[in-house]
Amino acid sequence: QVQIMESGGGLVQPGGSLRLSCAASGRIIKVNDMGWYRQAPGKERELVAGITIGGSTNYADSVKGRFTISRDNAKNTIYLQMNSLKTEDTAVYYCNAVALSTSEIGWKNYWGQGTQVTVSS
């Protein structure tokens, strides 16, 4: 099995910063693309930022210039540095990894349990 563990969420004031971490572990052969998604109450889950194994990144327009995704391939870990946070960034943030494992056939999508980010004064 593959486990995805997020950390780093919390309560922050508008204009503040938070750093999320996500580590993939377990019976992993290889991890390919990874990314952060978020889901606000009453809204659909949306891509926030993604990163390939080669380090190419893509961002939602709403977070460009404020959020930065990075990756440590040796640790199967990604990070999301969130600056200049706005109230509309409030959501549960989920980590996703596309991975090959010893317990599944083929590449599979794995999701973490999510971490709450609340931006409020």
Side-chain angles (χ1 to χ4, degrees):
Q1 291 183 339
V2 174
Q3 293 83 41
I4 306 295
M5 183 66 69
E6 305 110 332
S7 62
L11 173 64
V12 64
Q13 292 186 342
S17 297
L18 278 177
R19 188 184 193 226
L20 305 183
S21 300
C22 166
S25 62
R27 299 183 175 185
I28 295 172
I29 298 173
K30 190 176 180 70
V31 178
N32 201 347
D33 295 350
M34 297 184 75
W36 290 97
Y37 291 72
R38 68 186 179 187
Q39 188 166 18
K43 295 188 177 181
E44 293 187 354
R45 190 174 296 189
E46 63 174 358
L47 174 68
V48 177
I51 186 165
T52 69
I53 192 170
S56 297
T57 59
N58 64 293
Y59 297 92
D61 288 343
S62 59
V63 307
K64 283 180 181 177
R66 300 188 298 122
F67 291 10
T68 302
I69 189 170
S70 59
R71 178 170 183 158
D72 184 338
N73 287 333
K75 298 179 179 179
N76 291 327
T77 297
I78 60 171
Y79 308 93
L80 186 68
Q81 179 65 44
M82 305 185 292
N83 298 328
S84 303
L85 281 161
K86 305 175 181 181
T87 55
E88 51 263 44
D89 294 318
T90 296
V92 178
Y93 284 70
Y94 296 91
C95 179
N96 173 264
V98 178
L100 201 58
S101 76
T102 59
S103 56
E104 301 267 7
I105 297 175
W107 295 94
K108 301 294 183 185
N109 259 307
Y110 296 93
W111 292 91
Q113 293 294 312
T115 184
Q116 177 70 46
V117 171
T118 302
V119 185
S120 175
S121 54

